[in-house]
């Protein structure tokens, strides 16, 4: 396996700056008409040369420090891989088989799962909603932390700790809720990021420029803060973010779980998000290769078929995964999607061609399957055999087999019979072990990045210089940062507010119109949605019960009302007939506070991250 900090990574901006400095040093500076041996600033050529050399050396040190940080966040390095290989050499066949399995359990009592981790030497466990203990205030975080501790302790004295994982994307896919910070859907990040104008959508050069500028501090800081809260409870891994590029209304599964419909924007936000998770101490996983956002069936229920050509896939669906592979990420998830252009009749999670394509993109980290208990697999391939087939095809980590004990037995039997090469199982186990060793060091602050890591002196001085800015003076002279920039140093609650405020989008209607002056009447949505909007409206000084009819569109129809509000995915507004239409991208209290502000006349700064009817991506009525 090659190192996570391998040469295929793109050079950092600092290296380019260094080149500019060196070129300027060679070319000379100052007034060309000045007498030979003199400079316009009074410094001699030798003094200038020394200053330029010192500046170049400082820039190189900063570039080296930034590169070390990037490598630390990208996944296991050579030391982790070498130690993993040594550890795996000592595994028995039964331990090898267990090390590549992540099991699930059915209740809030983790003791049976802990016993399986110990008995079968499992790679870890995943926490689903049914495993999260509740209290009057939401999640019983104290009890949950105790259960996660029991799972971790089940690893005993083994050097490679069990993976304690969860699906925590924000929005619709949130396993651990309040009192942890509630986050809107991932699409909120896409709406908050700068949208492409209509002319840019047809201009490849403009799209390329936009891609360079589309890194969003909100996505990185939001995911860092999300990861920090999970890590404090004992989680080590979150199977997020989604690198899926949605095609909009015809996508029944991903929808607002995607950052949007533009491949370049999704790629940029995916990288910011997975780096944010690592900043917070968690291993993330970009999902779901070969792209679930452009198929019209749900792999939880059946096997979707991706009919696009390889050229189309490489341009759209695979672009975020290609960027992730090039930059380096710890893990990519393989979905359950048939791609006839790769291998007809076979789910990608069981297809050697699909794994080969992902490796060809440059990914050298762990490839984890999507849950093997999903309809796309169990209906046609059986739980135990699917685990063997997936591993043989190229998977490294097998997530949620229908019967983890049966999968373990199946892997052992497949090696003993010669159906599965032991070397393939060892390769997978080494990648998983390296990932877990890396994450443990990352979380402990033992790497060049991550929580608690000591910044190199070059980057500490840069950060300190930034901290010297007087916020009052910045506000006075107009240099105060945007909400996204301010979120870099804010709390989780503050960042969730800033994200919700930055994302809310006026899809139709008059910008900054006072829609609630005569009060509002709330229809649609769930009981919780209506309660939260009521609280937010009253906090904004709006009366509730009479006046403008606000239709909250989630499970209910988009038709009717004076104002139609899409709570999750904005495409539902294509069926709305209200004069004013708003996309919210979330159902958190912060989302409804942002909505109430817009109803009271505030500007809605977001732009559409997907097409809505005939309205293009990047559209806003403001």
């Amino acid at each position: 396996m090659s190192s996570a900090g391998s040469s295929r990574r793109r050079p950092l901006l600092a290296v380019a700056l260094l080149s500019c400095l060196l070129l300027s040093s060679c070319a000379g500076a100052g007034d060309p008409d000045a007498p030979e041996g003199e400079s316009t600033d009074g410094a001699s050529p030798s003094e200038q040369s020394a200053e330029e050399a010192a500046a170049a050396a400082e820039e190189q040190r900063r570039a080296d420090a930034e590169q070390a940080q990037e490598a630390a966040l990208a996944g296991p390095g050579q030391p982790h891989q070498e130690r993993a290989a040594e550890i795996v050499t000592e595994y028995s066949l039964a331990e090898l088989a267990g090390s590549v399995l992540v099991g699930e359990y059915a209740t809030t009592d983790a003791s049976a799962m802990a016993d399986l981790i110990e008995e079968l030497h499992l790679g870890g466990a995943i926490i689903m909603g049914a495993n999260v203990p509740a209290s009057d205030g939401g999640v019983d975080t104290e009890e949950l932390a105790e259960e996660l501790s029991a799972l971790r302790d089940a690893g005993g004295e083994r050097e490679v700790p069990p993976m304690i994982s969860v699906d925590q994307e924000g929005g619709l896919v949130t396993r651990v809720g309040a009192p942890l910070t509630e986050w809107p859907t991932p699409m909120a990040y896409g709406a908050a990021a700068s949208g492409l104008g209509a002319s840019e959508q047809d201009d490849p050069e403009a799209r390329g420029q936009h891609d360079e500028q589309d890194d969003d501090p909100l996505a990185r800081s939001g995911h860092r803060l999300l990861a920090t809260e999970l890590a404090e409870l004992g989680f080590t891994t979150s199977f997020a973010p989604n690198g899926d590029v949605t095609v909009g209304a015809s996508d029944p599964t991903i929808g607002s779980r995607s950052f949007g419909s533009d491949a370049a924007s999704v790629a940029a936000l995916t990288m910011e998000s997975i780096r944010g998770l690592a900043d917070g101490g968690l291993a993330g996983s970009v999902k779901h290769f070969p792209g679930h956002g452009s198929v019209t069936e749900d792999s939880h229920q059946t096997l979707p078929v991706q009919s696009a050509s390889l050229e189309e896939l490489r341009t759209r669906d695979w672009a975020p995964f290609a960027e992730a592979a090039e930059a380096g990420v710890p893990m990519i998830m393989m979905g359950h999607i048939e791609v006839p252009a790769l291998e007809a009749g076979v789910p990608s999670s069981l297809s050697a061609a699909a794994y080969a394509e992902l490796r060809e993109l440059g990914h050298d980290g762990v490839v984890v399957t999507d849950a093997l208990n999903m309809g796309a697999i169990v209906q046609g391939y059986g739980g135990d055999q699917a685990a063997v087939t997936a591993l043989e095809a190229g998977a490294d980590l097998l997530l949620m087999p229908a019967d983890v004990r049966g999968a373990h037995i199946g892997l052992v039997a497949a090696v003993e019979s010669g159906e599965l090469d032991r070397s393939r199982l060892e390769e997978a186990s080494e990648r998983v072990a390296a990932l877990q060793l890396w994450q443990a060091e990352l979380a402990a602050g033992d790497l060049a990045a991550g929580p608690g890591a000591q910044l190199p002196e070059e980057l500490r001085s840069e950060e300190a210089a930034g901290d010297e800015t007087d916020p009052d003076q910045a506000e006075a002279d107009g240099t105060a940062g945007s909400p996204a920039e301010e979120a870099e140093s804010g709390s989780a609650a503050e960042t969730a507010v800033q994200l919700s405020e930055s994302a809310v989008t006026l899809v139709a209607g008059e910008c900054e119109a006072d829609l609630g002056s005569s009060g509002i009447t709330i229809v649609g949505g769930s009981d919780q949605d209506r309660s939260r909007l009521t609280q937010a409206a009253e906090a904004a000084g709006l009366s509730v019960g009479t006046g403008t009819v606000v239709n909250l569109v989630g499970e209910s129809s988009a038709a009717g009302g004076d104002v139609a509000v899409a709570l999750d995915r904005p495409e539902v507004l294509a069926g709305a007939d209200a004069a004013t239409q708003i996309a919210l991208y979330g159902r958190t209290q912060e989302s409804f506070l942002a909505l109430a502000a817009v109803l009271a006349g505030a500007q809605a700064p977001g732009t559409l991250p997907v097409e809505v009817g005939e309205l293009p991506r990047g559209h806003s009525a403001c």
Side-chain angles (χ1 to χ4, degrees):
M1 293 179 288
S2 60
S3 169
S6 63
S7 60
R8 60 180 166 76
R9 297 224 165 78
R10 294 170 295 175
L12 296 170
L13 175 61
V15 177
L17 292 174
L18 173 60
S19 300
C20 293
L21 283 167
L22 294 175
L23 286 171
S24 66
S25 175
C26 294
D31 185 351
D33 296 326
E36 184 177 355
E38 296 183 12
S39 67
T40 56
D41 60 5
S44 68
S46 61
E47 289 173 330
Q48 280 189 313
S49 178
E51 290 173 358
E52 289 167 353
E58 180 181 356
E59 197 63 49
Q60 183 62 60
R61 288 192 296 271
R62 182 176 292 112
D64 290 344
E66 290 176 345
Q67 193 166 19
Q69 278 192 312
E70 181 73 4
L73 295 171
Q78 187 172 348
H80 304 114
Q81 294 160 352
E82 291 176 348
R83 181 56 189 149
E86 294 171 352
I87 292 170
V88 169
T89 298
E90 303 298 320
Y91 282 174
S92 67
L93 176 55
E95 288 172 332
L96 278 173
S99 70
V100 298
L101 293 168
V102 174
E104 63 169 330
Y105 58 107
T107 70
T108 58
D109 181 359
S111 58
M113 187 73 247
D115 290 342
L116 277 175
I117 289 175
E118 181 177 5
E119 177 191 352
L120 302 180
H121 197 267
L122 295 184
I126 185 169
I127 307 304
M128 303 297 285
N131 309 132
V132 178
S135 67
D136 292 339
V139 174
D140 187 332
T141 54
E142 184 174 343
E143 183 181 345
L144 177 58
E146 290 176 358
E147 297 299 326
L148 299 186
S149 179
L151 294 174
R152 183 173 58 253
D153 292 346
E157 298 299 317
R158 69 195 209 196
E159 186 175 344
V160 178
M163 177 183 293
I164 313 300
S165 64
V166 67
D167 284 323
Q168 190 87 345
E169 302 171 7
L172 300 174
V173 181
T174 298
R175 308 303 186 203
V176 188
L180 271 64
T181 303
E182 291 187 82
W183 297 93
T185 66
M187 192 170 279
Y189 292 108
S194 299
L196 287 174
S199 62
E200 292 177 291
Q201 294 183 35
D202 299 320
D203 184 347
E205 182 176 348
R207 287 170 66 90
Q209 293 171 352
H210 173 79
D211 185 27
E212 293 298 320
Q213 301 171 356
D214 205 21
D215 291 351
D216 182 10
L218 272 173
R220 183 154 186 166
S221 58
H223 283 80
R224 172 178 58 81
L225 294 163
L226 178 152
T228 299
E229 291 184 338
L230 290 174
E232 288 174 352
L233 289 174
F235 287 100
T236 68
T237 304
S238 180
F239 293 115
N242 290 287
D244 301 301
V245 180
T246 182
V247 292
S250 60
D251 161 22
T253 309
I254 301 300
S256 60
R257 297 170 62 192
S258 168
F259 295 117
S261 61
D262 177 73
S265 179
V266 171
L269 290 169
T270 296
M271 285 309 305
E272 288 297 302
S273 300
I274 199 163
R275 290 294 186 258
L277 291 176
D279 286 333
L282 294 190
S285 176
V286 180
K287 59 186 186 183
H288 311 76
F289 188 83
H292 209 310
S294 62
V295 293
T296 57
E297 293 181 296
D298 185 351
S299 60
H300 292 88
Q301 310 300 329
T302 189
L303 178 62
V305 178
Q306 172 57 268
S307 58
S309 68
L310 291 180
E311 181 180 0
E312 290 174 304
L313 290 170
R314 288 173 179 142
T315 301
R316 181 190 61 203
D317 297 75
W318 296 357
F321 298 96
E323 180 155 336
E326 180 184 0
V329 293
M331 184 160 47
I332 292 178
M333 179 178 286
M334 183 68 75
H336 307 309
I337 301 164
E338 179 187 347
V339 184
L342 288 176
E343 186 174 0
V346 180
S348 48
S349 55
L350 307 182
S351 167
Y355 289 99
E357 189 71 32
L358 184 52
R359 295 299 183 192
E360 190 67 25
L361 292 177
H363 179 58
D364 57 9
V366 168
V367 182
V368 58
T369 67
D370 205 348
L372 291 174
N373 62 1
M374 291 167 59
I377 299 300
V378 297
Q379 289 176 7
Y381 299 90
D384 300 350
Q385 184 57 40
V388 174
T389 306
L391 198 75
E392 186 177 19
D396 300 310
L397 189 61
L398 307 173
L399 181 61
M400 300 170 68
D403 176 0
V404 72
R405 185 181 293 278
H408 183 270
I409 292 171
L411 290 173
V412 171
V415 172
E416 291 177 337
S417 69
E419 178 185 358
L420 176 66
D421 286 343
R422 182 179 177 123
S423 61
R424 170 76 270 273
L425 182 55
E426 289 173 338
E427 178 186 49
S429 184
E430 286 178 21
R431 286 199 181 110
V432 173
L435 171 72
Q436 290 163 274
L437 292 173
W438 164 77
Q439 186 279 326
E441 289 194 1
L442 179 78
D446 294 337
L447 301 179
Q454 290 295 314
L455 282 176
E457 181 179 351
E458 294 78 14
L459 299 184
R460 286 204 302 273
S461 61
E462 187 178 67
E463 186 175 87
D467 291 342
E468 291 172 2
T469 304
D470 182 346
D472 294 332
Q473 182 61 38
E475 183 71 31
D477 62 20
T479 60
S482 68
E485 293 166 335
E486 292 167 1
E488 291 185 310
S489 59
S491 69
E494 291 168 339
T495 304
V497 168
Q498 291 159 1
L499 173 57
S500 299
E501 290 177 346
S502 300
V504 61
T505 304
L506 184 67
V507 178
E510 180 184 351
C511 189
E512 297 183 75
D514 186 352
L515 300 168
S517 57
S518 61
I520 63 171
T521 298
I522 305 170
V523 299
S526 67
D527 289 342
Q528 183 182 69
D529 296 333
R530 292 188 294 273
S531 174
R532 286 182 166 182
L533 179 54
T534 297
Q535 294 177 45
E538 291 174 347
L542 306 179
S543 61
V544 178
T546 60
T548 301
V549 177
V550 179
N551 180 14
L552 303 180
V553 184
E555 299 80 5
S556 56
S557 169
D562 302 308
V563 179
V565 180
L567 297 176
D568 300 309
R569 52 192 305 167
E571 301 97 321
V572 296
L573 292 175
D577 53 14
T580 300
Q581 299 172 20
I582 298 171
L584 200 55
Y585 314 102
R587 301 174 182 229
T588 68
Q589 189 62 60
E590 292 79 9
S591 299
F592 287 110
L593 287 169
L595 173 60
V598 171
L599 294 175
Q603 185 178 8
T607 61
L608 285 176
V610 293
E611 294 181 0
V612 173
E614 297 182 355
L615 299 175
R617 175 186 179 273
H619 166 81
S620 168
C622 281

